[in-house]
Amino acid sequence: MSSPSSIREATRRSAYIRPEITIGGEWRAADSGKTISVDDPFTGETIGEIADAGAAETEAAVAAASEAFAPWAARPAIERGRLLRRWFDVIVANKEDLARLITLESGKAIREARGEVDYGAAFVEFYAEEASRANGEIIPAHVPGRQLRAEREPVGVCAAITPWNFPIAMLTRKVAPALAAGCTMVAKPAQQTPFSALALARLAQEVGIPGGVFNIVTGQAAAIGGVLTGSPVVRKLSFTGSTGVGARLMQACAGTIKRVSMELGGNAPLLIFDDADLETAVETAMVAKFRNAGQSCIAANRIYVQAGIHDRFVAAFAARTAALKLGDGFDETTDIGPLIEAVAVDKVNAHLENALAGGAQLLAGGKGEGRLMPPTLLAGVAHDAQLSCEETFGPLAAVMRFETFEEAIRLANDTPFGLASYVCSQDPATISRAGRAIESGMVGINTGFISTAWAPFGGVKQSGVGKEGSRLGLDEYLNVKYLCQAGL
Ligand code: ADP
């Protein structure tokens, strides 16, 4: 079997690592010829270069998407669906290469990277089928001799700005419904993880998705974002990232009254009630907290445990946390890879120190160094600790004790965010009451594993607007047109 370092080297040398963007089906350098280097989070070494594109290239990409729009929208939905299906097939056929690219650029453990390719590909599969189901409605007329119709039509040229934590899945869940609906797309992947996105575009072109339908620009975020948000040709922006950047992009979209979908930050609570099954509760916490080394917007940031089960839960969770293996994402036995950047570790360390200073007890792990943050568990964390209020985005689990149902709900909702939440209990009444009382767009019940292409993903409050995945994800790329015909 190949060693992690030889797989890393082979991935670095792959044909996907090129400083090129794709506009109108062509692959080209930035106008200036300049590039930006991308680091391997584990070694800190340069993986390769990307094109350092800005406003001019983004304008060209928007023009290409605009030119491609009418013929793409005019194709029968079933044909667009068939092309998406072929794209899905080729993504699956290249699963291992794509997973390795994800690990190389994001540091993610390879087993999780493979899971991400499956998850990301599922959006393409799902929307390939959904393309031909954008049905409209005939509405009973309010006066004789009329026909009232509501038809769905594609929004137009769309833009996507995506983050580094799930570089393939966060892109496919925007591009696949957009293309299925008949929209064309200009995407800007995160600067840290551009290569897997560019690889997806190459595969799309390979199966015959026309040039101009899916364009990618890399480089200067603010300049690219400025064109994508300011252009009157772009009719919609879908963004996944931090609430701060999302708010700025939403403001920038206001000038041209764009449609927006925003998947923003979370601060997910996990509530474990006395009657929870202990093993299920621990498994839920493991998945909800440590997936992608805690770098997920639906990561359980605050784990509230009822007094009666608290000590048993903490002991079992500490043993599982301590058993997680930290290391090179290319090592098949690694559970927790490096964090994306050293500043990410600094933030987790700051949350750790702040909680310890507030009286928390350290039960596993400890301080991180460089880009490596050990899986860490704290109990007895104060409700006003930094990590109770802000998204940690790292493998630091924080347990707080509660006594009553009402207290748990009050604590869970005491945040401006509302993306995901989790509940562990075996009592149907508790599950039902908690599920309704929690202010979040998604609730995991006795599971930390909630994301799937078939279900609507999205938040409330400052966690965002709009849904991705499910049939609702297609609506984000469709306008409803009402046609009223008289004289019949
Ligand atoms: P994260 O914490 O995931 O890095 P960000 O919100 O900073 O969250 O980044 C998410 C995406 O938004 C990335 O693709 C990033 O390059 C992009 N981005 C950041 N700032 C801007 C901006 N001013 N305009 C457009 N895109 C931006």
Side-chain angles (χ1 to χ4, degrees), residues 70 111 193:
R111 287 174 295 139
T193 58

Side-chain angles (χ1 to χ4, degrees), residues 161-164 188-192 221-222 225 239-242 245 248-249:
I161 298 180
T162 54
W164 48 263
K188 190 204 87 60
Q191 193 165 314
Q192 297 93 332
F239 171 77
T240 300
S242 58
V245 173
R248 286 209 296 281
L249 293 174

Side-chain angles (χ1 to χ4, degrees), residues 436-466:
R436 286 185 176 162
I438 288 181
E439 297 164 352
S440 67
M442 299 172 279
V443 185
I445 298 157
N446 293 322
T447 180
F449 197 75
I450 58 173
S451 303
T452 158
W454 283 265
F457 187 106
V460 296
K461 294 160 86 176
Q462 291 179 31
S463 289
V465 290

Side-chain angles (χ1 to χ4, degrees), residues 170-192:
M170 296 303 100
L171 189 58
T172 55
R173 74 178 177 182
K174 300 183 190 309
V175 182
L179 269 50
C183 299
T184 56
M185 174 74 86
V186 178
K188 190 204 87 60
Q191 193 165 314
Q192 297 93 332

